[in-house]
């Protein structure tokens, strides 16, 4: 579900999900380095022992969030591998990726605001590998450097657009459509040149 709130949407259900939600909320408020497991357990109203049952470290929590995020991206990459390499397929990849980004907006905000920690966490390289896979599925048959830059810029525009337009007045859905339009234009240009 895509929401317009800048605050992570609380998921109902199991303790693991609640821990992830609260950790992400605290990290968004105070930053990765300043957030402790003690604060997470206090906000949840559970003991640290209960928290340790699910996650031993703060990094374990963040890694689990990224693993959850990677599922729709992995599904998108698997789907793309089975499709013909047409421009229509590439447009659909961007559309589906935009939905995955919107559904994981708080996590992508974490990535943007905690880039130094991302480089240190094990999941940074995993995420980079998936972005390379997506890029490979967006490239046209004629892969010039200019076309590679266009397709890379399409993905980057989708990431950066969420943050750049966050403080711009306007409807959230209209902003998402504008970002997708720009990304699609870049990929279309790469295929038409």
């Amino acid at each position: 579900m895509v929401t317009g709130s800048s605050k992570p949407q609380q998921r109902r259900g199991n303790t693991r999900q609640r821990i992830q939600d609260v950790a992400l909320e605290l990290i968004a408020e105070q930053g990765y380095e300043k957030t402790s497991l003690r604060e997470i357990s206090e906000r949840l109203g559970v003991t640290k022992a209960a928290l340790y049952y699910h996650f031993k470290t703060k990094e374990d929590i963040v890694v689990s969030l990224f693993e959850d995020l990677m599922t729709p991206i992995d599904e998108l990459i698997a789907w793309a591998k089975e499709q013909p390499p047409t421009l229509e397929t590439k447009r659909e990849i961007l559309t589906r990726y935009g939905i995955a980004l919107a559904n994981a907006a708080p996590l992508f905000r974490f990535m943007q605001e905690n880039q130094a920690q991302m480089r240190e966490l094990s999941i940074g390289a995993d995420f980079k590998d998936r972005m390379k896979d997506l890029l490979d599925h967006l490239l046209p048959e004629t892969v010039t450097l200019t076309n590679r830059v266009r397709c890379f810029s399409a993905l980057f525009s989708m990431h950066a657009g969420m943050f750049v337009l966050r403080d711009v007045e306007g409807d959230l859905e209209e902003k998402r459509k504008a970002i997708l339009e720009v990304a699609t234009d870049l990929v279309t240009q790469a295929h038409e040149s």
Side-chain angles (χ1 to χ4, degrees), residues 43-57:
R43 178 136 336 159
L44 279 166
V46 300
T47 65
K48 277 178 66 174
L51 184 64
Y52 286 145
Y53 176 78
H54 295 279
F55 300 103
K56 302 292 183 230
T57 66

Side-chain angles (χ1 to χ4, degrees), residues 63-104:
V63 167
S64 74
L65 283 160
F66 275 90
E67 288 171 349
D68 291 354
L69 166 68
M70 293 304 160
T71 299
I73 293 173
D74 289 341
E75 290 170 356
L76 174 57
I77 292 168
W79 174 85
K81 286 178 182 176
E82 301 297 319
Q83 304 305 311
T86 64
L87 182 55
E88 189 56 40
T89 296
K90 293 162 194 315
R91 289 176 175 156
E92 183 64 19
I93 290 169
L94 291 173
T95 299
R96 291 178 182 208
Y97 188 60
I99 292 167
L101 284 175
N103 287 335

Side-chain angles (χ1 to χ4, degrees), residues 146-160:
T146 302
N147 286 339
R148 184 175 294 279
V149 170
R150 283 184 179 118
C151 292
F152 171 80
S153 296
L155 286 176
F156 181 78
S157 295
M158 294 184 79
H159 288 238

Side-chain angles (χ1 to χ4, degrees), residues 121-193:
L121 296 174
S122 60
I123 39 115
D126 291 342
F127 185 75
K128 188 176 179 179
D129 289 344
R130 284 170 174 89
M131 292 304 96
K132 184 185 175 315
D133 276 351
L134 276 178
L135 176 62
D136 289 346
H137 289 293
L138 292 175
L139 293 171
E141 286 183 31
T142 307
V143 184
T144 64
L145 180 58
T146 302
N147 286 339
R148 184 175 294 279
V149 170
R150 283 184 179 118
C151 292
F152 171 80
S153 296
L155 286 176
F156 181 78
S157 295
M158 294 184 79
H159 288 238
M162 292 185 344
F163 304 104
V164 172
L165 295 179
R166 175 175 59 191
D167 298 324
V168 173
E169 277 192 46
D171 179 65
L172 184 60
E173 194 55 37
E174 288 301 314
K175 292 177 192 180
R176 288 187 183 126
K177 285 180 184 176
I179 292 166
L180 179 59
E181 183 178 336
V182 168
T184 302
D185 287 348
L186 286 165
V187 169
T188 300
Q189 245 186 324
H191 283 268
E192 292 176 348
S193 62

